Amino acid sequence: MFGSRLDLATTYADLLAGEATVRGLIGPREVPRLWERHLLNCALVADLVPEGARVVDVGSGAGLPGLVLALRRPDLHVTLLEPLLRRTTFLELAASRMELDNVTVHRGRAEEVHGQMYFDVVTSRAVAPLDRLGRWSLPLVERGGAMLAMKGSSAPDELAEAERGLRKLGARRFAVHRLGAELLDPPVTVVEARLPA
C-alpha cells in the first residue's frame, strides 16, 4: 500500500511505538496493532482524496491520519492542525525524521483559523461527535471540497442525527464509505460531507 515509501512508513511506525508512546500520544496496548489499526486504515482514506489536494488534519494528535496521508500521497500538501504543544513537537519531529516536505505543522484549534485558512479536504479521526466536528471542520472547507471524518460502525446513525446541522454549515452531499474490507476487520468507515462547488 505504501509502495516505494514503505521504509518511511516503517520509520513512522517505529516513532509511534517509541516516542509517541513515551509522550502518551499512543497507548502501550496499541503498539502490537499499529499497522492494521492505525497505519493501514489511515492509508485507505487517501483513496478518497483528489490528486494535488490541500488537506488539513484537524486534531492531528500523533499524525493519524494526516502524516499517513502525506506518506502515502506525496502529491498532497498536508497541514497538521493540533492545539497541544507536546503533540505538535512530536509531529514536527516525525515530519522531519521522515523528511516529508509536503507537511506543515500548525499549532492551534480549528475555530481559531476559521476565515483565514481553506482546504480542499479536511480530515479527522476520533476527534469529536459529528455535529461538533462539522462546526470545527466545515468552515475550513473550500467550495467544492469535503470533510472526511473517520468514524466507527455507528457512522450512518451519527450522520442521520448530524445531517441537519451539517446542512446549515453548507454541506450538501453526504456519503458513508467503508474501505478495506478485504484487508481489515473491521473495515474503515469514513463519513463524507461535501460542499457545493
Side-chain angles (χ1 to χ4, degrees), residues 58-164:
V58 170
S60 198
L64 301 161
L67 276 175
V68 178
L69 294 176
L71 266 171
R72 183 161 179 227
R73 296 275 306 278
D75 61 294
L76 304 177
H77 183 83
V78 180
T79 297
L80 308 174
L81 184 59
E82 171 56 54
L84 295 181
L85 178 61
R86 69 187 170 94
R87 292 178 181 163
T88 56
T89 301
F90 171 78
L91 293 171
E92 287 168 348
L93 168 74
S96 170
R97 188 81 52 88
M98 292 182 283
E99 298 180 355
L100 295 176
D101 58 5
N102 62 332
V103 170
T104 302
V105 177
H106 184 92
R107 185 174 172 213
R109 299 182 183 281
E111 55 271 38
E112 294 169 354
V113 296
H114 286 173
Q116 300 167 42
M117 300 170 87
Y118 297 93
F119 301 88
D120 303 306
V121 175
V122 178
T123 61
S124 60
R125 179 178 189 243
V127 171
L130 201 50
D131 56 346
R132 192 174 341 141
L133 189 59
R135 291 195 299 272
W136 295 341
S137 299
L138 285 171
L140 300 174
V141 178
E142 190 75 67
R143 295 199 65 74
M147 175 180 84
L148 299 175
M150 296 178 72
K151 287 289 183 179
S153 58
S154 62
D157 296 332
E158 195 176 347
L159 176 57
E161 285 181 28
E163 186 174 332
R164 188 172 171 198

Side-chain angles (χ1 to χ4, degrees), residues 2 5-15 35 39 71 98:
F2 289 98
R5 295 168 77 87
L6 182 59
D7 286 351
L8 290 179
T10 302
T11 297
Y12 182 43
D14 292 343
L15 281 167
W35 282 95
L39 291 161
L71 266 171
M98 292 182 283

